[in-house]
Amino acid sequence: MKSIRGLAALPLMLASAPALAAGQTDPQGSGPIVAALMWLQGTLLGNVATAVAVIAVAMVGFMMLTGRMNWRFGATVIIGCFILFGSAAIVSGIQSAAAAG
């Protein structure tokens, strides 16, 4: 009877093994790729991106005040800034939800 339960749990154990292995280390030879992505992240979240986001939000606000911009497009720009600068929190929330499930 115990062997039947063990066999029934085998597919569940095999399905969870790749997920555990993927989260432990970076694959061999991925150093330059990880370095490039870290540079891209630093560029997107650095001083240049902050300045561009401030200018974009200011221009959207000015154009909305003067009545020259579609409200939906202005909201899209502002939501895009929230997603860009909140991406680290969004990813950590997704990872914690995936680990719990």
Side-chain angles (χ1 to χ4, degrees):
M1 193 64 131
K2 280 192 168 196
S3 64
I4 294 173
R5 279 193 224 159
L7 290 176
L10 185 63
L12 295 175
M13 290 187 298
L14 292 177
S16 65
L20 291 174
Q24 291 177 352
T25 60
D26 292 331
Q28 185 176 6
S30 68
I33 296 170
V34 172
L37 290 175
M38 294 301 290
W39 173 82
L40 183 64
Q41 179 186 6
T43 302
L44 287 176
L45 298 176
N47 294 336
V48 175
T50 304
V52 169
V54 167
I55 291 170
V57 170
M59 291 192 66
V60 165
F62 180 73
M63 291 183 81
M64 283 182 174
L65 283 173
T66 58
R68 293 188 224 160
M69 180 174 278
N70 183 3
W71 285 89
R72 183 174 288 177
F73 179 72
T76 303
V77 170
I78 294 170
I79 289 171
C81 290
F82 279 116
I83 291 173
L84 176 67
F85 294 112
S87 61
I90 293 169
V91 169
S92 66
I94 291 171
Q95 286 177 343
S96 66

